[in-house]
């Protein structure tokens, strides 16, 4: 599975959009980009995933560059409850990709 | 529907003692995983299983054994605990098929080895 690079920490003002970047320059054509977040000491929670196209759900939007070497997770209106560690992961899609390897993630601080 | 349940949630061991962490999922998932998370660090994969009766090594398998005798259960064993195994352990599961393939996590088991 491809490695990812994320900034160790970021700040965001409450109510503003939080844009979390992820580099995955060695991603393969059949690998998806997944995002999870971990609030305090809880188990990580799935947010969103994508292959080529941009994706949006009730939690966030995922923007993947055309060359697929990087992506951005967007939380449109960050709240204090969005303070968490965000993990960007790339792996082969659901029919394969048995391993799911987490990196260190980005610690997002949402400030009032 | 409980999802992924881990027991125990807290445990203190002395060096050299053994113990087993139990992970149970009620979602009929094929894949199950054990991760450990040290303070301020990301999750590291210990072992995983792609189905009943199968197990495989992850990133940091040394000092741990696992078993998947039943589809719904994934056991993580420490035969001779060491202080370096003090950590929070997370179990996760996911299904196969044409869907998201997202991981569902348990609440974690906090282990301290003295």
């Amino acid at each position: 599975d491809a490695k990812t690079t994320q900034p160790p920490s970021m700040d965001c003002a409450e109510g503003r959009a939080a844009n979390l970047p992820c580099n995955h320059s060695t991603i393969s054509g059949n690998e998806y980009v997944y995002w999870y977040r971990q609030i305090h000491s809880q188990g990580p929670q799935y947010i969103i995933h994508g292959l080529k196209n941009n994706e949006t759900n009730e939690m966030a939007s995922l923007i993947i560059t055309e060359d697929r070497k990087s992506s951005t997770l967007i939380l449109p209106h960050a709240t204090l409850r969005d303070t968490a560690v965000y993990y960007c992961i790339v792996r082969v899609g659901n029919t394969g990709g048995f391993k799911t390897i987490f990196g260190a993630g980005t610690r997002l601080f949402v400030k009032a | 529907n409980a999802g992924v349940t881990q027991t125990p949630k807290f445990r203190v061991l002395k060096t050299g003692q053994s113990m087993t962490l139990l992970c149970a999922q009620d979602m009929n998932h094929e894949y199950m995983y054990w991760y450990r998370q040290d303070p301020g660090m990301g999750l590291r994969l210990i072992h995983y299983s792609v189905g009943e009766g199968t197990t495989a090594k992850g990133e940091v398998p040394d000092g741990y054994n696992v078993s998947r005798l039943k589809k719904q259960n994934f056991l993580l064993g420490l035969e001779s605990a060491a202080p370096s195994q003090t950590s929070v352990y997370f179990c996760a599961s996911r299904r196969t098929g044409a869907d998201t393939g997202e991981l569902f996590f348990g609440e974690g088991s906090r282990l301290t080895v003295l």
Side-chain angles (χ1 to χ4, degrees), chain A residues 51-70:
Chain A
L51 181 62
K52 295 181 182 178
N53 300 321
N54 299 336
E55 302 288 343
T56 296
N57 62 22
E58 65 278 4
M59 292 182 67
S61 295
L62 173 60
I63 308 298
I64 302 175
T65 57
E66 191 169 345
D67 63 7
R68 303 208 325 121
K69 292 184 177 182
S70 66

Side-chain angles (χ1 to χ4, degrees), chain A residues 34 36 38 40-46 49 87 91-105 107, chain B residues 31 33 35 37 41-43 45 48 50 57-59 90 94-103 105-107 110:
Chain A
Y34 282 76
Y36 289 81
Q38 185 176 26
H40 194 45
S41 301
Q42 300 174 16
Q45 173 192 22
Y46 166 82
H49 78 289
Y87 297 99
R91 68 167 176 81
V92 176
N94 195 43
T95 55
F98 306 130
K99 288 185 180 181
T100 299
I101 305 296
F102 285 74
R107 188 171 295 274
Chain B
Y31 299 167
Y33 304 79
Y35 292 88
Q37 186 172 37
M41 306 281 287
L43 285 80
L45 181 62
Y48 63 99
V50 301
K57 295 179 180 180
E59 303 173 275
F90 288 100
R94 71 177 179 97
R95 57 191 171 189
T96 59
D99 57 21
T100 66
E102 66 189 85
L103 287 171
F105 281 85
E107 295 181 353
R110 187 176 299 274

Side-chain angles (χ1 to χ4, degrees), chain A residues 1 8 32 49 51 54 62 65 71 73 77 93 97 103 106:
Chain A
D1 293 336
Y32 287 71
H49 78 289
L51 181 62
N54 299 336
L62 173 60
T65 57
S71 60
L73 178 74
H77 305 287
T106 295

Side-chain angles (χ1 to χ4, degrees), chain B residues 5-111:
Chain B
T5 303
Q6 295 182 225
T7 53
K9 290 187 171 45
F10 300 92
R11 183 75 186 268
V12 178
L13 288 178
K14 294 181 179 179
T15 298
Q17 287 184 318
S18 63
M19 75 157 295
T20 300
L21 297 176
L22 170 63
C23 177
Q25 52 95 2
D26 60 2
M27 297 173 283
N28 202 36
H29 286 175
E30 288 291 336
Y31 299 167
M32 296 188 74
Y33 304 79
W34 276 109
Y35 292 88
R36 62 175 288 174
Q37 186 172 37
D38 300 327
M41 306 281 287
L43 285 80
R44 291 186 291 170
L45 181 62
I46 305 172
H47 286 282
Y48 63 99
S49 168
V50 301
E52 181 178 318
T54 74
T55 62
K57 295 179 180 180
E59 303 173 275
V60 289
D62 294 342
Y64 304 95
N65 56 74
V66 287
S67 63
R68 183 99 181 270
L69 299 180
K70 294 182 179 181
K71 185 177 182 180
Q72 64 267 33
N73 296 336
F74 194 29
L75 279 65
L76 178 71
L78 287 73
E79 289 188 350
S80 180
S84 60
Q85 294 178 304
T86 294
S87 190
V88 180
Y89 292 85
F90 288 100
C91 176
S93 71
R94 71 177 179 97
R95 57 191 171 189
T96 59
D99 57 21
T100 66
E102 66 189 85
L103 287 171
F104 292 82
F105 281 85
E107 295 181 353
S109 296
R110 187 176 299 274
L111 175 65

